[in-house]
Amino acid sequence: MTKKTKVNNSEKVKYEELFFYTIPLCNNDLLLHKEVLYKHFPAYKKINKEKVKLNSVFVDYHTGVFTLALQKDEMRFQQIYFRVEMGTLHVACDCGMPGQVLCEHAYRALSNIIHRKLGRLEPYYWPGFEPDAEGISKYLDIRFTQQDAYIKPSFDFGNLFKRGLGFKKQDDVSFEQKLPEPAFKKEGVHDVLGYQLLYNSHSFYRNHLPFLIPFIGTTTKSGDGISYYKTYLKNVKQFKHGLNLSKEQIILNEISYAMFEIATSIPFNKVKGEYSPATKEYMPLMLNLWRKAIPKLRFEQHIKSSYSYNLNTLPSRPKKTDLKVSQITMSELDISFVLSDNGDYYQLVPIIKANGKDISEHYFKVSLFIIEPITSSHYHFHLIGNLQDEYLLNWLDENQRRLTVLKQDFESFYDGFLKKLSECYQVMFRRYKGSKLQPYRYERCR
């Protein structure tokens, strides 16, 4: 059930009785530059030094207007009010702004925002989602501190579509690719060659591209499982063992080594939730190596996987307790979307099918793969078909796999996002309080 966040507002302010001074931002990025502010307050060079020391504290937010209190040493002075619109900032002060020019109180508060946020006003822009006159917000989680107002979408709504801006990090997603018209078993204890997939998530700050690494293990008496893991085969160890390898295994080992070289040579990301430029550069090559490796893996009996936390301390052999029995395929994933009418908003969610089976509710997204957990100890890895799908699914995964847009913003959402999406992926539509899905058509949702 959706929670409603209530913002504490100790006193009611009639905003219509205030004079709001308008500052054109001169850009479409919701940035307030110092040079623009100076033009509206030429006296900034002569401002009283005591006023310069005033801090601004967020105290209220409702009906689209933020309230700031100027204070020094816990003593409060004027209150400043501001509202952000696309391309425009409106600001008022309870001094009344004599002469209808920007006052030094408002200038001081806006200067603090420029200093704290580098002039970014986008965090204060939530058109249609703002708390109402009672301070209640259906869509937002809001928290005030002495320094700032921290606002984010409520968990149930994932990524909110902002009028004029679209979704958060929407530019990270591209829409270029359109929709298209076992091995011999030997019984008894013996050494075998196996393969381990080491992976982690793109959102992990030490993310790396997934790779195969061959290992030598000793089987159980039945020959079905592995009782002891001896060593990884990497670098010069690649062929130093007593096994007779097939031609396919020799090729597979060379592919694995090429993967290992790529994964371990790319510096780790410093920013959680993003691939580094170097990682993105090597992703097409790694994806191609996986396409070559997977057909050869179908002949291998011992395939494992484990989550990798730090390649800098990769041990000399697999750790048995971390391993899961695994299956790795590149059968085509079917990615589609359902657009649901939820009354005053629409919500878009992805539907993922593997081999015709809907796995949307329980899949894990990791770098270059979707994991379908068969059991807690058995994973099926589905290779992503292309980098467009990779970036799109990673982006959705950061926001609970939900995109939310108000009905009043639907046309902008359609023009800036949904139209492009529907040219690449099938989109189905569910009517308000309905259960039946039908092919989405723009006229139905208007």
Side-chain angles (χ1 to χ4, degrees), residues 2 40 43 48 63 71 111 123-124 171 224 260 266 268 394 422:
T2 303
H40 291 268
N48 186 298
T63 58
Q71 69 176 37
S111 294
Y124 310 116
D171 291 342
D224 292 325
F260 180 81
I266 301 173
F268 290 128
N394 286 346
S422 61

Side-chain angles (χ1 to χ4, degrees), residues 262-290:
I262 291 173
T264 55
S265 65
I266 301 173
F268 290 128
N269 265 350
K270 294 182 179 179
V271 180
K272 181 180 179 181
E274 296 180 7
Y275 287 128
S276 67
T279 302
K280 289 185 176 181
E281 180 182 346
Y282 278 101
M283 285 179 76
L285 177 57
M286 187 67 93
L287 193 59
N288 190 47
L289 288 173
W290 273 109

Side-chain angles (χ1 to χ4, degrees), residues 65-95:
V65 179
F66 287 89
T67 302
L68 297 171
L70 287 180
Q71 69 176 37
K72 180 183 178 183
D73 299 330
E74 304 302 323
M75 182 177 294
R76 292 192 173 181
F77 298 92
Q78 279 75 20
Q79 288 203 144
I80 312 301
Y81 313 90
F82 74 88
R83 179 176 68 251
V84 180
E85 297 178 357
M86 279 303 298
T88 308
L89 174 64
H90 304 276
V91 59
C93 177
D94 56 12
C95 77

Side-chain angles (χ1 to χ4, degrees), residues 22 27-28 34 36 50 54 80 105 126 161 211 230 261 282 342 345 361 378 398 404:
T22 299
N27 63 76
N28 294 321
K34 290 188 293 185
V36 171
E50 290 303 312
L54 291 177
I80 312 301
H105 315 116
W126 297 94
F161 182 87
F211 64 95
K230 287 188 171 182
E261 285 286 277
Y282 278 101
N342 290 312
Y345 65 93
E361 293 298 320
H378 183 182
E398 292 179 19
T404 303

Side-chain angles (χ1 to χ4, degrees), residues 56-271:
S56 52
V57 180
F58 282 79
V59 296
D60 192 19
Y61 174 42
H62 64 270
T63 58
V65 179
F66 287 89
T67 302
L68 297 171
L70 287 180
Q71 69 176 37
K72 180 183 178 183
D73 299 330
E74 304 302 323
M75 182 177 294
R76 292 192 173 181
F77 298 92
Q78 279 75 20
Q79 288 203 144
I80 312 301
Y81 313 90
F82 74 88
R83 179 176 68 251
V84 180
E85 297 178 357
M86 279 303 298
T88 308
L89 174 64
H90 304 276
V91 59
C93 177
D94 56 12
C95 77
M97 291 196 184
Q100 297 191 343
V101 295
L102 188 68
C103 66
E104 61 182 358
H105 315 116
Y107 165 78
R108 184 64 250 157
L110 295 179
S111 294
N112 287 342
I113 289 177
I114 290 177
H115 176 71
R116 293 172 184 167
K117 293 286 190 179
L118 300 178
R120 292 175 55 249
L121 298 178
E122 185 272 335
Y124 310 116
Y125 177 69
W126 297 94
F129 303 113
E130 308 97 333
D132 58 23
E134 299 301 319
I136 296 176
S137 174
K138 175 181 179 180
Y139 300 97
L140 304 175
D141 287 335
I142 304 167
R143 180 171 61 89
F144 290 145
T145 69
Q146 284 291 310
Q147 295 296 319
D148 209 346
Y150 295 92
I151 304 172
K152 64 180 181 179
S154 297
F155 182 85
D156 288 348
F157 297 102
N159 202 344
L160 294 175
F161 182 87
K162 290 188 180 183
R163 190 181 311 133
L165 295 179
F167 293 107
K168 182 180 180 182
K169 294 187 177 181
Q170 180 175 321
D171 291 342
D172 291 353
V173 182
S174 64
F175 297 98
E176 296 176 358
Q177 300 191 37
K178 310 299 180 183
L179 287 171
E181 307 275 318
F184 173 74
K185 179 181 175 182
K186 179 180 177 181
E187 294 185 354
V189 175
H190 58 280
D191 284 352
V192 292
L193 180 69
Y195 292 90
Q196 181 182 351
L197 190 166
L198 276 81
Y199 67 93
N200 60 27
S201 169
H202 81 286
S203 63
F204 183 49
Y205 77 103
R206 289 183 178 272
N207 67 49
H208 64 76
L209 295 178
F211 64 95
L212 271 182
I213 185 168
F215 63 82
I216 302 295
T218 302
T219 67
T220 56
K221 290 183 180 181
S222 66
D224 292 325
I226 297 179
S227 61
Y228 179 73
Y229 293 86
K230 287 188 171 182
T231 184
Y232 283 128
L233 297 184
K234 55 185 179 181
N235 261 358
V236 296
K237 294 182 180 180
Q238 192 76 314
F239 298 103
K240 291 188 176 182
H241 50 76
L243 299 179
N244 292 320
L245 303 184
S246 68
K247 180 180 178 180
E248 293 293 294
Q249 287 176 326
I250 292 173
I251 295 173
L252 192 52
N253 286 358
E254 292 299 329
I255 295 173
S256 299
Y257 181 60
M259 289 181 174
F260 180 81
E261 285 286 277
I262 291 173
T264 55
S265 65
I266 301 173
F268 290 128
N269 265 350
K270 294 182 179 179
V271 180

